[in-house]
């Protein structure tokens, strides 16, 4: 009787342990695997987005610098000739040189050119800029303070403007002129912001698609593990004949094979236990009957 009681307790322990674990969420491992995958994908997207944004911002700054350099080179080429192409006479005043260059210049989008004489704006390109720098006292003061070619930035109502000032001196004239080329940097960078928002939206959509695919993939990967759990729940002392199907050679297949080996050992152990109980019962019944 004592032996039979121990056998019952031993055979029910796997079921008790399985029942104790049954309260856990079925897909907790699947959810954790999904969260890890999503975190890695989101991190990769974020890093790519930051690198792409920084690269595009650097390209914008390079383009602004190239624009300023081009305008300055064109102005210097005109000034070095020293001859007014209209009158065929030498330039005798910076005002005429600045006026002629501004008339011939066609600024790009978010670009403006201003001519200063003795620190006072006297002319600008015909195209209307995003903001009138020649009417901004702080900007004009910064331009007039430049004693030589200088690049700087000023803040306006339309954001930061990157500018380059080129002083102009004409031989035989005491008038001091200056050409100012300005590019509205913040307006140029808006294109980068638009691209960033598009990439962010595309990344969010891609992350949702990746979430769905990862959820399905995680379910397929963990399906053999779920089979092992189901088998452990269904196995009892009266039936240890169930075996798991082993497919492939990966870690999950090895787990299924190990579980099948454990079932083999349990089945043999229970069979030996039953045989021992039968023999013991027979040996005990014979003297009692006699």
């Amino acid at each position: 009787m004592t032996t039979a009681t121990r056998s019952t307790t031993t055979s029910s322990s796997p079921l008790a342990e399985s029942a104790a674990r049954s309260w856990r969420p079925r897909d907790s491992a699947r959810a954790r695997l999904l969260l890890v995958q999503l975190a890695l994908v989101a991190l990769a997207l974020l890093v790519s987005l930051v690198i792409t944004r920084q690269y595009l911002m650097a390209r914008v700054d390079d383009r602004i610098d190239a624009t300023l350099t081009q305008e300055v080179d064109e102005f210097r080429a005109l000034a070095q000739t020293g001859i007014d192409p209209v009158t065929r006479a030498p330039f005798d005043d910076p005002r005429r040189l600045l006026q002629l260059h501004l008339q011939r210049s066609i600024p790009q989008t978010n670009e403006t050119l201003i001519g200063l004489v003795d620190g006072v704006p006297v002319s600008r390109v015909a195209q209307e800029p995003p903001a009138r720098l020649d009417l901004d006292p702080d900007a004009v003061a910064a331009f007039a303070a430049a004693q030589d070619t200088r690049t700087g930035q000023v803040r306006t109502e339309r954001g930061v403007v990157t500018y380059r000032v080129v002083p102009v001196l004409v031989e035989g004239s005491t008038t001091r002129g200056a050409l100012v080329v300005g590019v509205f940097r913040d307006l140029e960078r808006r294109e980068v912001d638009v691209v960033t928002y598009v990439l962010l939206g595309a990344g969010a959509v891609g992350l949702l698609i990746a979430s769905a695919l990862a959820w399905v993939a995680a379910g397929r990967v963990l399906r053999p593990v779920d089979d092992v759990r189901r088998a452990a729940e269904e196995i009892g002392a009266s039936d240890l004949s169930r075996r798991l199907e082993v497919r492939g050679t990966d870690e999950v297949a090895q787990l299924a094979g190990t579980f099948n080996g454990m079932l083999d050992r349990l089945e043999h152990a229970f069979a030996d236990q039953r045989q021992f109980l039968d023999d013991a019962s027979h040996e005990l019944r014979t003297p009692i009957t006699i």
Side-chain angles (χ1 to χ4, degrees):
M1 293 299 293
T2 304
T3 305
T5 302
R6 288 178 180 176
S7 174
T8 303
T9 304
T10 303
S11 63
S12 61
S13 59
L15 295 177
E17 293 176 1
S18 176
R21 293 192 299 266
S22 62
W23 63 270
R24 297 179 181 179
R26 286 186 56 186
D27 295 324
S28 59
R30 187 180 185 182
R32 288 195 300 269
L33 182 61
L34 177 62
L35 290 177
V36 171
Q37 291 176 339
L38 292 184
L40 293 176
V41 173
L43 179 61
L45 288 175
L46 181 60
V47 172
S48 300
L49 184 62
V50 172
I51 293 175
T52 301
R53 178 179 174 80
Q54 293 300 321
Y55 172 76
L56 293 177
M57 287 295 187
R59 290 293 301 272
V60 169
D61 292 340
D62 292 341
R63 186 170 70 245
I64 292 175
D65 184 71
T67 299
L68 298 177
T69 301
Q70 178 184 355
E71 293 292 348
V72 170
D73 291 343
E74 291 177 356
F75 176 71
R76 285 175 174 171
L78 176 62
Q80 286 175 358
T81 62
I83 303 297
D84 189 333
V86 178
T87 63
R88 299 297 179 182
F91 291 110
D92 57 359
D93 190 289
R95 185 180 283 100
R96 173 58 184 169
L97 177 60
L98 291 170
Q99 182 182 12
L100 180 62
H101 179 72
L102 294 177
Q103 289 175 351
R104 299 170 59 178
S105 298
I106 301 177
Q108 301 179 10
T109 305
N110 301 324
E111 179 189 358
T112 187
L113 290 88
I114 304 172
L116 276 68
V117 175
D118 293 333
V120 179
V122 295
S123 57
R124 64 179 179 87
V125 289
Q127 288 79 2
E128 190 69 19
R132 292 286 298 273
L133 300 182
D134 55 320
L135 300 180
D136 188 331
D138 295 335
V140 173
F143 303 153
Q147 299 298 321
D148 52 9
T149 301
R150 187 179 72 177
T151 301
Q153 292 182 345
V154 294
R155 183 170 296 277
T156 69
E157 59 184 10
R158 299 302 302 275
V160 175
V161 175
T162 301
Y163 68 88
R164 185 167 297 175
V165 181
V166 182
V168 181
L169 294 175
V170 175
E171 186 176 355
S173 175
T174 58
T175 304
R176 182 173 176 272
L179 174 70
V180 179
V181 183
V183 179
F184 291 81
R185 189 195 66 174
D186 287 353
L187 296 183
E188 290 288 312
R189 287 188 169 188
R190 282 186 179 179
E191 298 179 3
V192 178
D193 293 334
V194 172
V195 174
T196 301
Y197 293 145
V198 171
L199 292 177
L200 187 61
V205 173
L207 191 63
L208 291 177
I209 296 176
S211 301
L213 296 178
W215 181 261
V216 175
R220 291 188 176 184
V221 170
L222 296 176
R223 185 177 300 168
V225 179
D226 191 58
D227 292 340
V228 172
R229 182 189 62 80
R230 291 176 181 273
E233 291 178 351
E234 296 174 359
I235 290 173
S238 60
D239 183 15
L240 295 172
S241 62
R242 177 173 176 177
R243 297 294 182 269
L244 298 177
E245 181 180 358
V246 179
R247 293 180 295 230
T249 58
D250 56 6
E251 290 81 357
V252 177
Q254 295 175 8
L255 174 63
T258 302
F259 189 78
N260 288 339
M262 181 191 69
L263 292 179
D264 291 336
R265 292 190 294 273
L266 287 175
E267 188 174 17
H268 290 310
F270 277 109
D272 293 341
Q273 188 181 48
R274 291 192 187 97
Q275 184 63 41
F276 172 78
L277 292 176
D278 291 342
D279 293 342
S281 298
H282 175 73
E283 294 297 332
L284 291 173
R285 281 197 303 268
T286 299
I288 293 174
T289 303
I290 294 173

